[in-house]
Amino acid sequence: MFLAFLGGARNSNPLDRIYWLEAATGNIPGAPALSRWTYWNLCAVDSKGHNQCGTSYPDYPFDPPSHRTFNTHVNIPAAFIGTRHYFLTSRFMFPFHIIALLFATCSLFTGFLAMCTRIGNWVSAFSAYLALTFQTITTCLMTAVYVQGRNKFNDNGQSSHLGVKAFAFMWTSVALLFLSCVIYCMGGAVGRKDGGYSGREQRRRGFFNSRRSGSLRSNKETAP
């Protein structure tokens, strides 16, 4: 989740290889030959296939014709012009991803308590469930907007493909958060209080009964 979130924030390995969408934009005035969209910027691509991003701006939208990106309608797919669908969908990804990261981090640290107490399992399961909810929303928004964007660029004769690493990180995070919820709930469900309490009661009962039976036996032996 952190790798997908920070992809494109810096021009350093491995962050310079993570992006949502790559499109051939060489026929758009002022655009690089290949453009990659991340959370932080529109990035060019160097000869080694790495991102070359400029100044980072959090929550960078996917909106090709706007002043934030190419600031032109020339050779921009018509589906991007006159709509705010792509802008709004991509904008909502960023805050939902932050919320998911917050609860996933909480679940990670409370997970250490799960090794000591059952309540730690339930707290971790609740945090993981909230992280799963927001991560699923983010991943679905990401998939919808960038798959549609890829198709629009391809239909316009501009070769485009999705960022495999970013998509793999996001969907794998969804699967692992779901698995965490299940395992934490299983950890909280085992070792029920009733079973442990009855075991202690049985040990106590056995201890006192053995002392009582031993006392009665000694009394009988010393009796005249």
Side-chain angles (χ1 to χ4, degrees), residues 28 64-65 73-81 149 152-154 156 158:
I28 298 176
H73 290 177
V74 178
N75 292 327
I76 297 290
F80 293 127
I81 301 173
K152 301 307 178 184
F153 273 114
N154 286 333
N156 200 46
Q158 296 160 298

Side-chain angles (χ1 to χ4, degrees), residues 134-215:
F134 286 100
Q135 180 68 6
T136 301
I137 294 173
T138 304
T139 306
C140 289
L141 290 174
M142 171 203 70
T143 303
V145 70
Y146 287 108
V147 167
Q148 291 174 3
R150 177 201 61 184
N151 295 340
K152 301 307 178 184
F153 273 114
N154 286 333
D155 292 343
N156 200 46
Q158 296 160 298
S159 178
S160 175
H161 64 269
L162 303 174
V164 176
K165 295 181 178 64
F167 274 73
F169 289 151
M170 294 293 282
W171 280 109
T172 301
S173 298
V174 171
L176 293 179
L177 284 170
F178 175 77
L179 186 62
S180 297
C181 290
V182 173
I183 293 176
Y184 279 133
C185 288
M186 291 173 60
V190 299
R192 300 296 297 270
K193 183 178 179 181
D194 293 342
Y197 182 76
S198 62
R200 290 194 294 271
E201 281 294 305
Q202 185 64 33
R203 289 195 295 273
R204 290 173 186 158
R205 194 175 298 117
F207 174 75
F208 288 113
N209 285 344
S210 62
R211 291 197 60 181
R212 182 178 301 174
S213 60
S215 300

